[in-house]
Amino acid sequence: MSFKKVSVIGLGYIGLPTAAVIASRGIEVIGVDVNQHAVDTINQGNIHIVEPDLDIVVRGVVTTGNLRATTTPEPAEAFMIAVPTPFKEGNAPDLKYIEAAAKAIAPVLEKGNLIILESTSPVGATEKLSAWLKEARPDLSFPQDTGDSADIKVAHCPERVLPGYVLQELIANDRVIGGMSKACSEKAVELYQTFVRGECIITNARTAEMAKLTENSFRDVNIAFANELSVISDKLKINVWELIKLANRHPRVNILNPGPGVGGHCIAVDPWFIVDSCPEDANIIRQARLTNDAKPHYVIDQISKAADEFKRPVIACLGLAFKADIDDLRESPALQVVEELASKNIGQIFAVEPNVHSLPESLVHAGVEQVTLETALEKANIIVVLVDHKQFKAADKIQFTTKVVIDTRGII
Ligand code: SAJ
């Protein structure tokens, strides 16, 4: 076994599954987090995040003692940093959590250690991490100075797992391994090959950082293209869903689906790292973000126009989650549409969200009522489809024929 003890810094929706999967390979894993509640929850064999089957794996490895959580870093052969990389005002990346993690592990570093940065980061972040470590430990050599022979190996290895399928994709997906030197990459490949069945492809740190941002920006630009098509099609009285289906019959065309905007904390966020690095050149990438962020307002205008046709508009919004068949309302354009609609006081508003038991306070305060799909179809005269949940897809379409339907997902 090339690694006997690994430490994962940051036990969130990437760090905890990663720690659990490595521990399930019989490697001792020390999970480190600043959140004492998370540490205590994990040490009791439970989890503080939502991810299918993760609780079973965590309970197993905590019971065998292979995974232990703590707030204080301990010596280990490898440290995998998976902490948040939020944005400051004006979409400027904030690396304070990476810097804090570097300062926290520096005292326990030993010659031969491997440091992996998994957090989605702007290009150059891994070099900054290595500089912060060097500042704290001038007694050790780092790859920016001594390349392959450095005491400490540093690499960037971004994750690309789909929430809801994390455990499967952590093992199955190919991984980009971006070492600050060839020896760093090779040591990182050794670590990932303890649990990754996909291919571990070696590159340098900057390219690995950019690969993650590129994957999500590619998706954001293509969703923006679909969203722009949906607005143009409305103006030209074309059904955009029929249009895209026809265009996609071309063997080399694959247009994604329009929606009410782009949610989640990945696709809607990662492109801003690239825009921040090259504001003069990242024009399509920036415009895609602006186009996708404008879509919720377009949908609200459509609803307002429809409501003007009724003396007493009763509007039922189907779906609040940021994408189909999940319960996550964070960064959800659907939630944004309902919140803004409620603030306009244009009529009674119902919300149908089968994946949550109660509405967020913001909607309750605004007088939005959570109802079943049946009640919505019975009482509303305007139906707004915001999320393509399977329950909505399964509804008998005949029930919609007497309603004004604004369908942002093309399921009706
Ligand atoms: N969306 C559309 N139209 C589409 C596809 C998506 O409007 O055709 C919307 C969704 O409704 C949602 C948003 O975009 O609001 C993001 O959805 P998503 O399906 O991209 O899901 P995420 O954000 O959970 O996962 C993405 C994935 N990245 C790619 O597919 C390139 C995942 O592999 C990444 O690991 C994840 O971001 C991440 O963590 O970066």
Short mmCIF file of all heavy atoms in Angstrom, two decimals, residues 124-185:
data_model
loop_
_atom_site.label_atom_id
_atom_site.label_comp_id
_atom_site.label_asym_id
_atom_site.label_seq_id
_atom_site.Cartn_x
_atom_site.Cartn_y
_atom_site.Cartn_z
N GLY A 124 -3.57 29.43 -11.11
CA GLY A 124 -2.50 30.02 -10.28
C GLY A 124 -2.70 29.77 -8.80
O GLY A 124 -1.80 30.00 -7.99
N ALA A 125 -3.86 29.24 -8.42
CA ALA A 125 -4.16 29.05 -6.98
C ALA A 125 -3.22 28.02 -6.36
O ALA A 125 -2.78 28.18 -5.22
CB ALA A 125 -5.61 28.62 -6.81
N THR A 126 -2.91 26.95 -7.10
CA THR A 126 -2.05 25.90 -6.54
C THR A 126 -0.65 26.44 -6.27
O THR A 126 -0.01 26.11 -5.26
CB THR A 126 -1.99 24.69 -7.51
OG1 THR A 126 -3.34 24.31 -7.80
CG2 THR A 126 -1.26 23.51 -6.91
N GLU A 127 -0.18 27.31 -7.17
CA GLU A 127 1.13 27.94 -6.95
C GLU A 127 1.08 28.81 -5.69
O GLU A 127 2.02 28.83 -4.88
CB GLU A 127 1.53 28.77 -8.17
CG GLU A 127 1.91 27.91 -9.38
CD GLU A 127 1.67 28.61 -10.71
OE1 GLU A 127 1.79 29.85 -10.77
OE2 GLU A 127 1.34 27.90 -11.69
N LYS A 128 -0.05 29.51 -5.48
CA LYS A 128 -0.19 30.34 -4.27
C LYS A 128 -0.20 29.45 -3.03
O LYS A 128 0.46 29.76 -2.03
CB LYS A 128 -1.50 31.14 -4.32
CG LYS A 128 -1.48 32.31 -5.30
CD LYS A 128 -2.58 33.30 -5.00
CE LYS A 128 -2.50 34.49 -5.99
NZ LYS A 128 -3.71 34.55 -6.86
N LEU A 129 -0.88 28.32 -3.12
CA LEU A 129 -0.92 27.38 -1.99
C LEU A 129 0.50 26.97 -1.63
O LEU A 129 0.91 27.01 -0.46
CB LEU A 129 -1.76 26.16 -2.36
CG LEU A 129 -1.63 24.93 -1.47
CD1 LEU A 129 -2.13 25.23 -0.06
CD2 LEU A 129 -2.40 23.74 -2.04
N SER A 130 1.30 26.60 -2.64
CA SER A 130 2.66 26.13 -2.38
C SER A 130 3.52 27.25 -1.80
O SER A 130 4.37 27.03 -0.93
CB SER A 130 3.28 25.61 -3.68
OG SER A 130 4.37 24.76 -3.41
N ALA A 131 3.25 28.48 -2.22
CA ALA A 131 4.01 29.64 -1.68
C ALA A 131 3.64 29.86 -0.22
O ALA A 131 4.51 30.12 0.63
CB ALA A 131 3.70 30.87 -2.51
N TRP A 132 2.34 29.72 0.12
CA TRP A 132 1.94 29.90 1.52
C TRP A 132 2.56 28.83 2.40
O TRP A 132 2.99 29.08 3.52
CB TRP A 132 0.40 29.83 1.65
CG TRP A 132 -0.28 31.07 1.16
CD1 TRP A 132 0.13 32.36 1.34
CD2 TRP A 132 -1.49 31.13 0.40
NE1 TRP A 132 -0.75 33.21 0.72
CE2 TRP A 132 -1.76 32.50 0.15
CE3 TRP A 132 -2.40 30.18 -0.11
CZ2 TRP A 132 -2.86 32.93 -0.57
CZ3 TRP A 132 -3.51 30.61 -0.82
CH2 TRP A 132 -3.73 31.97 -1.05
N LEU A 133 2.65 27.60 1.86
CA LEU A 133 3.25 26.50 2.64
C LEU A 133 4.74 26.77 2.85
O LEU A 133 5.28 26.60 3.95
CB LEU A 133 3.05 25.17 1.92
CG LEU A 133 1.61 24.65 1.85
CD1 LEU A 133 1.52 23.43 0.94
CD2 LEU A 133 1.08 24.31 3.24
N LYS A 134 5.40 27.23 1.79
CA LYS A 134 6.85 27.51 1.87
C LYS A 134 7.12 28.61 2.90
O LYS A 134 8.04 28.52 3.73
CB LYS A 134 7.36 27.93 0.51
CG LYS A 134 8.83 28.30 0.50
CD LYS A 134 9.25 28.91 -0.83
CE LYS A 134 10.67 29.48 -0.72
NZ LYS A 134 11.07 30.20 -1.95
N GLU A 135 6.25 29.64 2.90
CA GLU A 135 6.39 30.77 3.84
C GLU A 135 6.33 30.25 5.29
O GLU A 135 7.11 30.65 6.14
CB GLU A 135 5.21 31.71 3.58
CG GLU A 135 5.36 33.15 3.97
CD GLU A 135 4.07 33.92 3.63
OE1 GLU A 135 3.55 33.73 2.49
OE2 GLU A 135 3.53 34.60 4.51
N ALA A 136 5.45 29.29 5.49
CA ALA A 136 5.25 28.76 6.86
C ALA A 136 6.31 27.72 7.22
O ALA A 136 6.59 27.49 8.39
CB ALA A 136 3.85 28.13 6.96
N ARG A 137 6.91 27.11 6.19
CA ARG A 137 7.89 26.05 6.46
C ARG A 137 9.13 26.23 5.60
O ARG A 137 9.41 25.45 4.69
CB ARG A 137 7.25 24.66 6.20
CG ARG A 137 6.18 24.26 7.19
CD ARG A 137 6.75 24.05 8.60
NE ARG A 137 7.80 23.03 8.65
CZ ARG A 137 7.54 21.75 8.88
NH1 ARG A 137 6.28 21.33 8.97
NH2 ARG A 137 8.52 20.87 8.95
N PRO A 138 9.94 27.28 5.91
CA PRO A 138 11.17 27.54 5.13
C PRO A 138 12.19 26.41 5.27
O PRO A 138 13.12 26.32 4.48
CB PRO A 138 11.70 28.83 5.74
CG PRO A 138 11.04 28.98 7.06
CD PRO A 138 9.74 28.25 6.99
N ASP A 139 11.96 25.50 6.24
CA ASP A 139 12.91 24.38 6.43
C ASP A 139 12.71 23.27 5.39
O ASP A 139 13.51 22.36 5.26
CB ASP A 139 12.73 23.79 7.83
CG ASP A 139 11.30 23.30 8.04
OD1 ASP A 139 10.37 24.11 7.79
OD2 ASP A 139 11.10 22.13 8.40
N LEU A 140 11.58 23.36 4.64
CA LEU A 140 11.28 22.32 3.63
C LEU A 140 11.42 22.92 2.24
O LEU A 140 11.23 24.12 2.05
CB LEU A 140 9.85 21.80 3.83
CG LEU A 140 9.57 21.03 5.13
CD1 LEU A 140 8.07 20.84 5.32
CD2 LEU A 140 10.29 19.69 5.13
N SER A 141 11.72 22.07 1.24
CA SER A 141 11.80 22.57 -0.14
C SER A 141 10.50 22.23 -0.87
O SER A 141 9.89 21.20 -0.61
CB SER A 141 12.99 21.94 -0.86
OG SER A 141 12.82 20.54 -0.94
N PHE A 142 10.12 23.13 -1.79
CA PHE A 142 8.84 23.00 -2.50
C PHE A 142 9.08 23.00 -4.00
O PHE A 142 10.10 23.50 -4.47
CB PHE A 142 7.90 24.14 -2.07
CG PHE A 142 7.40 24.00 -0.66
CD1 PHE A 142 8.19 24.42 0.41
CD2 PHE A 142 6.19 23.39 -0.40
CE1 PHE A 142 7.76 24.26 1.72
CE2 PHE A 142 5.75 23.22 0.91
CZ PHE A 142 6.53 23.65 1.97
N PRO A 143 8.12 22.46 -4.78
CA PRO A 143 8.36 22.24 -6.23
C PRO A 143 8.62 23.51 -7.02
O PRO A 143 9.33 23.48 -8.01
CB PRO A 143 7.09 21.54 -6.71
CG PRO A 143 6.08 21.67 -5.63
CD PRO A 143 6.82 21.91 -4.38
N GLN A 144 8.11 24.67 -6.54
CA GLN A 144 8.35 25.90 -7.31
C GLN A 144 9.85 26.26 -7.30
O GLN A 144 10.32 27.00 -8.14
CB GLN A 144 7.53 27.09 -6.79
CG GLN A 144 7.77 27.49 -5.35
CD GLN A 144 6.82 26.82 -4.38
OE1 GLN A 144 6.43 25.67 -4.61
NE2 GLN A 144 6.48 27.50 -3.30
N ASP A 145 10.58 25.69 -6.27
CA ASP A 145 12.02 26.01 -6.20
C ASP A 145 12.87 24.87 -6.74
O ASP A 145 13.77 25.05 -7.52
CB ASP A 145 12.42 26.29 -4.74
CG ASP A 145 11.55 27.40 -4.16
OD1 ASP A 145 11.34 28.40 -4.87
OD2 ASP A 145 11.03 27.23 -3.05
N THR A 146 12.53 23.63 -6.26
CA THR A 146 13.46 22.53 -6.56
C THR A 146 12.81 21.43 -7.41
O THR A 146 13.33 20.33 -7.48
CB THR A 146 13.96 21.91 -5.25
OG1 THR A 146 12.81 21.51 -4.49
CG2 THR A 146 14.77 22.92 -4.45
N GLY A 147 11.66 21.73 -8.03
CA GLY A 147 11.06 20.78 -8.99
C GLY A 147 10.91 19.38 -8.43
O GLY A 147 10.45 19.20 -7.30
N ASP A 148 11.37 18.39 -9.19
CA ASP A 148 11.10 16.98 -8.85
C ASP A 148 11.71 16.56 -7.52
O ASP A 148 11.22 15.65 -6.89
CB ASP A 148 11.65 16.07 -9.96
CG ASP A 148 10.72 16.10 -11.18
OD1 ASP A 148 9.58 16.60 -11.03
OD2 ASP A 148 11.12 15.61 -12.24
N SER A 149 12.80 17.22 -7.11
CA SER A 149 13.49 16.73 -5.89
C SER A 149 12.94 17.41 -4.63
O SER A 149 13.46 17.19 -3.54
CB SER A 149 14.99 17.06 -6.02
OG SER A 149 15.12 18.47 -6.11
N ALA A 150 11.88 18.19 -4.77
CA ALA A 150 11.37 18.94 -3.59
C ALA A 150 10.94 17.97 -2.47
O ALA A 150 10.46 16.86 -2.73
CB ALA A 150 10.18 19.80 -4.01
N ASP A 151 11.08 18.46 -1.22
CA ASP A 151 10.65 17.65 -0.07
C ASP A 151 9.14 17.42 -0.11
O ASP A 151 8.64 16.39 0.28
CB ASP A 151 10.96 18.41 1.24
CG ASP A 151 12.45 18.56 1.47
OD1 ASP A 151 13.20 17.65 1.03
OD2 ASP A 151 12.87 19.58 2.03
N ILE A 152 8.43 18.51 -0.56
CA ILE A 152 6.96 18.45 -0.56
C ILE A 152 6.47 18.42 -2.01
O ILE A 152 6.90 19.21 -2.85
CB ILE A 152 6.36 19.69 0.16
CG1 ILE A 152 6.89 19.79 1.59
CG2 ILE A 152 4.82 19.64 0.14
CD1 ILE A 152 6.45 18.68 2.52
N LYS A 153 5.53 17.50 -2.30
CA LYS A 153 4.94 17.39 -3.64
C LYS A 153 3.58 18.11 -3.63
O LYS A 153 2.82 17.97 -2.64
CB LYS A 153 4.75 15.93 -4.02
CG LYS A 153 6.03 15.09 -3.93
CD LYS A 153 6.95 15.36 -5.10
CE LYS A 153 8.14 14.41 -5.14
NZ LYS A 153 9.22 14.76 -4.16
N VAL A 154 3.28 18.88 -4.67
CA VAL A 154 2.01 19.65 -4.71
C VAL A 154 1.35 19.44 -6.07
O VAL A 154 2.02 19.48 -7.11
CB VAL A 154 2.27 21.16 -4.49
CG1 VAL A 154 0.96 21.94 -4.48
CG2 VAL A 154 3.03 21.38 -3.17
N ALA A 155 0.01 19.23 -6.06
CA ALA A 155 -0.72 19.03 -7.33
C ALA A 155 -2.14 19.55 -7.20
O ALA A 155 -2.69 19.65 -6.10
CB ALA A 155 -0.75 17.54 -7.68
N HIS A 156 -2.74 19.87 -8.36
CA HIS A 156 -4.15 20.26 -8.41
C HIS A 156 -4.93 19.13 -9.09
O HIS A 156 -4.58 18.72 -10.20
CB HIS A 156 -4.35 21.54 -9.22
CG HIS A 156 -5.76 22.03 -9.18
ND1 HIS A 156 -6.25 22.77 -8.13
CD2 HIS A 156 -6.80 21.86 -10.04
CE1 HIS A 156 -7.53 23.04 -8.35
NE2 HIS A 156 -7.89 22.51 -9.49
N CYS A 157 -5.94 18.60 -8.39
CA CYS A 157 -6.73 17.49 -8.97
C CYS A 157 -8.20 17.82 -8.79
O CYS A 157 -8.79 17.50 -7.77
CB CYS A 157 -6.38 16.18 -8.28
SG CYS A 157 -4.60 15.85 -8.35
N PRO A 158 -8.81 18.50 -9.77
CA PRO A 158 -10.21 18.93 -9.62
C PRO A 158 -11.19 17.76 -9.65
O PRO A 158 -10.90 16.72 -10.24
CB PRO A 158 -10.42 19.84 -10.83
CG PRO A 158 -9.44 19.36 -11.84
CD PRO A 158 -8.26 18.85 -11.08
N GLU A 159 -12.35 17.96 -9.00
CA GLU A 159 -13.38 16.91 -9.01
C GLU A 159 -14.42 17.31 -10.07
O GLU A 159 -14.53 18.46 -10.45
CB GLU A 159 -14.04 16.77 -7.65
CG GLU A 159 -14.56 18.03 -7.03
CD GLU A 159 -15.84 18.59 -7.69
OE1 GLU A 159 -16.65 17.81 -8.23
OE2 GLU A 159 -15.97 19.82 -7.68
N ARG A 160 -15.15 16.33 -10.54
CA ARG A 160 -16.21 16.64 -11.53
C ARG A 160 -17.44 15.77 -11.29
O ARG A 160 -18.13 15.37 -12.21
CB ARG A 160 -15.70 16.45 -12.95
CG ARG A 160 -15.02 15.12 -13.17
CD ARG A 160 -14.68 14.83 -14.59
NE ARG A 160 -13.80 15.77 -15.24
CZ ARG A 160 -12.79 15.41 -16.02
NH1 ARG A 160 -12.47 14.13 -16.12
NH2 ARG A 160 -12.06 16.29 -16.66
N VAL A 161 -17.67 15.47 -9.99
CA VAL A 161 -18.78 14.56 -9.67
C VAL A 161 -20.11 15.29 -9.74
O VAL A 161 -20.19 16.48 -9.44
CB VAL A 161 -18.58 13.93 -8.28
CG1 VAL A 161 -17.37 13.01 -8.28
CG2 VAL A 161 -18.48 14.99 -7.20
N LEU A 162 -21.15 14.56 -10.11
CA LEU A 162 -22.49 15.14 -10.19
C LEU A 162 -23.19 14.94 -8.84
O LEU A 162 -23.27 13.79 -8.37
CB LEU A 162 -23.28 14.43 -11.29
CG LEU A 162 -24.54 15.14 -11.79
CD1 LEU A 162 -24.19 16.48 -12.42
CD2 LEU A 162 -25.29 14.26 -12.77
N PRO A 163 -23.60 16.02 -8.17
CA PRO A 163 -24.33 15.85 -6.91
C PRO A 163 -25.46 14.83 -7.08
O PRO A 163 -26.16 14.85 -8.07
CB PRO A 163 -24.89 17.26 -6.65
CG PRO A 163 -23.91 18.18 -7.33
CD PRO A 163 -23.44 17.44 -8.54
N GLY A 164 -25.56 13.93 -6.13
CA GLY A 164 -26.57 12.85 -6.23
C GLY A 164 -25.94 11.57 -6.76
O GLY A 164 -26.47 10.48 -6.54
N TYR A 165 -24.79 11.69 -7.41
CA TYR A 165 -24.10 10.49 -7.94
C TYR A 165 -22.63 10.51 -7.53
O TYR A 165 -21.77 9.94 -8.17
CB TYR A 165 -24.19 10.47 -9.48
CG TYR A 165 -25.59 10.47 -10.00
CD1 TYR A 165 -26.26 11.68 -10.25
CD2 TYR A 165 -26.30 9.28 -10.19
CE1 TYR A 165 -27.57 11.70 -10.69
CE2 TYR A 165 -27.61 9.30 -10.64
CZ TYR A 165 -28.24 10.51 -10.89
OH TYR A 165 -29.54 10.53 -11.32
N VAL A 166 -22.34 11.22 -6.42
CA VAL A 166 -20.95 11.47 -6.06
C VAL A 166 -20.15 10.20 -5.84
O VAL A 166 -19.06 10.01 -6.37
CB VAL A 166 -20.88 12.38 -4.80
CG1 VAL A 166 -19.46 12.49 -4.29
CG2 VAL A 166 -21.44 13.76 -5.12
N LEU A 167 -20.71 9.26 -5.07
CA LEU A 167 -19.94 8.06 -4.74
C LEU A 167 -19.59 7.26 -6.00
O LEU A 167 -18.48 6.75 -6.14
CB LEU A 167 -20.71 7.19 -3.74
CG LEU A 167 -20.78 7.79 -2.32
CD1 LEU A 167 -21.67 6.93 -1.44
CD2 LEU A 167 -19.39 7.91 -1.70
N GLN A 168 -20.55 7.17 -6.92
CA GLN A 168 -20.26 6.42 -8.17
C GLN A 168 -19.20 7.17 -8.99
O GLN A 168 -18.22 6.58 -9.47
CB GLN A 168 -21.51 6.27 -9.03
CG GLN A 168 -22.67 5.55 -8.38
CD GLN A 168 -23.64 6.51 -7.68
OE1 GLN A 168 -23.21 7.40 -6.93
NE2 GLN A 168 -24.93 6.33 -7.89
N GLU A 169 -19.40 8.48 -9.15
CA GLU A 169 -18.53 9.23 -10.06
C GLU A 169 -17.12 9.44 -9.49
O GLU A 169 -16.16 9.52 -10.25
CB GLU A 169 -19.19 10.57 -10.46
CG GLU A 169 -20.44 10.38 -11.30
CD GLU A 169 -20.73 11.56 -12.22
OE1 GLU A 169 -20.13 12.64 -12.03
OE2 GLU A 169 -21.55 11.40 -13.14
N LEU A 170 -17.00 9.49 -8.16
CA LEU A 170 -15.67 9.63 -7.54
C LEU A 170 -14.77 8.47 -7.97
O LEU A 170 -13.57 8.60 -8.12
CB LEU A 170 -15.78 9.60 -6.02
CG LEU A 170 -15.83 10.94 -5.27
CD1 LEU A 170 -15.89 10.68 -3.77
CD2 LEU A 170 -14.63 11.81 -5.62
N ILE A 171 -15.39 7.32 -8.17
CA ILE A 171 -14.63 6.11 -8.52
C ILE A 171 -14.54 5.95 -10.04
O ILE A 171 -13.49 5.64 -10.59
CB ILE A 171 -15.29 4.88 -7.86
CG1 ILE A 171 -15.15 4.99 -6.32
CG2 ILE A 171 -14.68 3.58 -8.37
CD1 ILE A 171 -16.07 4.09 -5.54
N ALA A 172 -15.62 6.24 -10.74
CA ALA A 172 -15.69 5.94 -12.19
C ALA A 172 -15.05 7.02 -13.07
O ALA A 172 -14.40 6.70 -14.07
CB ALA A 172 -17.14 5.75 -12.58
N ASN A 173 -15.20 8.29 -12.71
CA ASN A 173 -14.76 9.37 -13.62
C ASN A 173 -13.24 9.40 -13.79
O ASN A 173 -12.49 9.09 -12.87
CB ASN A 173 -15.20 10.74 -13.06
CG ASN A 173 -16.70 10.95 -13.21
OD1 ASN A 173 -17.41 10.05 -13.70
ND2 ASN A 173 -17.20 12.10 -12.77
N ASP A 174 -12.80 9.79 -14.99
CA ASP A 174 -11.36 10.07 -15.20
C ASP A 174 -11.00 11.26 -14.31
O ASP A 174 -11.84 12.09 -14.01
CB ASP A 174 -11.10 10.47 -16.66
CG ASP A 174 -11.30 9.29 -17.61
OD1 ASP A 174 -11.42 8.15 -17.12
OD2 ASP A 174 -11.37 9.53 -18.83
N ARG A 175 -9.71 11.34 -13.91
CA ARG A 175 -9.26 12.47 -13.10
C ARG A 175 -8.11 13.18 -13.80
O ARG A 175 -7.22 12.53 -14.37
CB ARG A 175 -8.75 12.01 -11.72
CG ARG A 175 -9.78 11.51 -10.73
CD ARG A 175 -10.91 12.45 -10.42
NE ARG A 175 -10.60 13.55 -9.54
CZ ARG A 175 -10.96 13.60 -8.24
NH1 ARG A 175 -11.58 12.57 -7.70
NH2 ARG A 175 -10.70 14.67 -7.50
N VAL A 176 -8.14 14.49 -13.79
CA VAL A 176 -7.03 15.30 -14.30
C VAL A 176 -6.07 15.53 -13.13
O VAL A 176 -6.48 16.01 -12.06
CB VAL A 176 -7.57 16.65 -14.83
CG1 VAL A 176 -6.42 17.59 -15.17
CG2 VAL A 176 -8.47 16.41 -16.05
N ILE A 177 -4.80 15.14 -13.31
CA ILE A 177 -3.80 15.23 -12.22
C ILE A 177 -2.77 16.28 -12.63
O ILE A 177 -1.96 16.03 -13.54
CB ILE A 177 -3.10 13.86 -12.02
CG1 ILE A 177 -4.14 12.74 -11.88
CG2 ILE A 177 -2.14 13.94 -10.83
CD1 ILE A 177 -4.88 12.67 -10.59
N GLY A 178 -2.82 17.45 -11.96
CA GLY A 178 -1.97 18.57 -12.40
C GLY A 178 -0.86 18.85 -11.39
O GLY A 178 -1.02 19.67 -10.49
N GLY A 179 0.29 18.18 -11.55
CA GLY A 179 1.40 18.36 -10.61
C GLY A 179 2.20 19.63 -10.90
O GLY A 179 2.26 20.08 -12.05
N MET A 180 2.82 20.18 -9.83
CA MET A 180 3.70 21.34 -10.04
C MET A 180 5.05 20.89 -10.58
O MET A 180 5.90 21.69 -10.91
CB MET A 180 3.87 22.14 -8.73
CG MET A 180 2.64 22.99 -8.43
SD MET A 180 2.85 24.02 -6.96
CE MET A 180 4.16 25.12 -7.49
N SER A 181 5.21 19.57 -10.62
CA SER A 181 6.37 18.97 -11.32
C SER A 181 5.95 17.57 -11.71
O SER A 181 4.91 17.07 -11.24
CB SER A 181 7.58 18.89 -10.36
OG SER A 181 7.36 17.82 -9.44
N LYS A 182 6.75 16.90 -12.53
CA LYS A 182 6.39 15.54 -12.97
C LYS A 182 6.32 14.60 -11.77
O LYS A 182 5.38 13.82 -11.62
CB LYS A 182 7.43 15.03 -13.98
CG LYS A 182 6.97 13.83 -14.77
CD LYS A 182 7.79 13.64 -16.03
CE LYS A 182 7.39 12.36 -16.83
NZ LYS A 182 6.41 11.48 -16.20
N ALA A 183 7.26 14.77 -10.87
CA ALA A 183 7.29 13.89 -9.68
C ALA A 183 6.03 14.14 -8.83
O ALA A 183 5.45 13.19 -8.26
CB ALA A 183 8.55 14.18 -8.86
N CYS A 184 5.58 15.39 -8.78
CA CYS A 184 4.34 15.70 -8.03
C CYS A 184 3.16 14.98 -8.68
O CYS A 184 2.33 14.37 -7.99
CB CYS A 184 4.07 17.21 -8.05
SG CYS A 184 5.31 18.21 -7.24
N SER A 185 3.08 15.03 -10.00
CA SER A 185 1.96 14.37 -10.72
C SER A 185 2.00 12.86 -10.45
O SER A 185 0.97 12.25 -10.15
CB SER A 185 2.06 14.60 -12.22
OG SER A 185 1.93 15.96 -12.53
#
